[in-house]
Amino acid sequence: MLARPSVNEQVAEIDELLREVGGLLRKRGRDILGNFDITSPQFDALLVLREHGELTMGELCAKMFLACSTATDLIDRMERNGLIERVRDTADRRVIRLRVLPKGSDLIEQVLEARQAYLAAAMAGLGTSDKARIIRTLEQITGLLARDVQA
C-alpha cells in the first residue's frame, strides 16, 4: 500500500508549485514586456490604476507596496511617455490623482493579449473541463488567501 502524503507535505508541495508557476509566469511576462515600451513596474502600476480607478500617489504606493520616492520616479516616466496623467481631484483641489490615458489603456490590452496568447499556447493540450477545474481551484485558493489578508 502506498503511503499518502501528510497534510504538511501536501501544503509544502502546493507552496512549491504555486511559487514555480508564479516564477515561470513572471519570467515569461518580463520576456513579453520586452516587446513593448514599458517596464514591469510600470505595467503593474497601470494594472493597479485600471483595477482601482484614479488613485493618489499614496494609494498607489500602498497597493503596490512601494516607497513613495520609488513610485514618484516611476510615475514621472509614465507621464513623460503619455501613459498616465496627474489630475486635480474635483472634490479637493489639493489632491492629485493618477489617471490612465488612452495610450496606457491600449498598451495594457496589447500586453494582456500577448500574455494570454502565450498561456493559451502553453495550455493547448488541456481540455475545457481541465481548464474549468483549474479555474475553480485557483478561485478557491484566491478566496482563502484573500480572506486571510483582509482579516
Side-chain angles (χ1 to χ4, degrees):
M1 185 162 122
L2 294 174
R4 291 182 16 185
S6 71
V7 171
N8 288 342
E9 290 170 331
Q10 288 176 322
V11 169
E13 187 171 357
I14 290 168
D15 178 54
E16 182 178 336
L17 288 169
L18 287 173
R19 282 186 286 110
E20 188 172 349
V21 166
L24 291 168
L25 287 174
R26 272 190 303 281
K27 183 191 180 322
R28 186 61 185 132
R30 282 192 300 270
D31 293 344
I32 290 169
L33 282 177
N35 298 322
F36 297 91
D37 190 23
I38 190 170
T39 65
S40 188
Q42 290 172 348
F43 182 69
D44 292 342
L46 283 176
L47 287 178
V48 169
L49 289 167
R50 183 176 90 159
E51 180 180 346
H52 297 283
E54 295 178 7
L55 298 174
T56 66
M57 182 70 79
E59 292 166 339
L60 179 66
C61 292
K63 292 189 182 310
M64 293 185 67
F65 307 104
L66 289 176
C68 282
S69 58
T70 302
T72 299
D73 291 340
L74 179 76
I75 295 304
D76 286 346
R77 284 191 305 276
M78 292 172 70
E79 191 173 33
R80 278 194 303 274
N81 291 335
L83 302 174
I84 62 152
E85 67 180 341
R86 290 176 167 101
V87 294
R88 295 232 177 249
D89 187 289
T90 55
D92 184 346
R93 304 261 318 139
R94 297 170 295 178
V95 176
I96 304 292
R97 297 202 170 273
L98 305 170
R99 175 185 298 156
V100 178
L101 292 171
K103 181 179 176 182
S105 294
D106 291 344
L107 188 57
I108 290 171
E109 293 309 316
Q110 291 171 24
V111 171
L112 289 178
E113 283 178 22
R115 289 169 58 136
Q116 290 166 12
Y118 159 73
L119 200 51
M123 295 176 43
L126 295 176
T128 304
S129 63
D130 291 328
K131 291 174 189 170
R133 188 172 55 253
I134 291 169
I135 291 168
R136 282 192 308 276
T137 301
L138 290 173
E139 286 173 342
Q140 287 176 316
I141 292 169
T142 301
L144 293 168
L145 295 175
R147 186 177 62 206
D148 285 344
V149 170
Q150 294 170 355

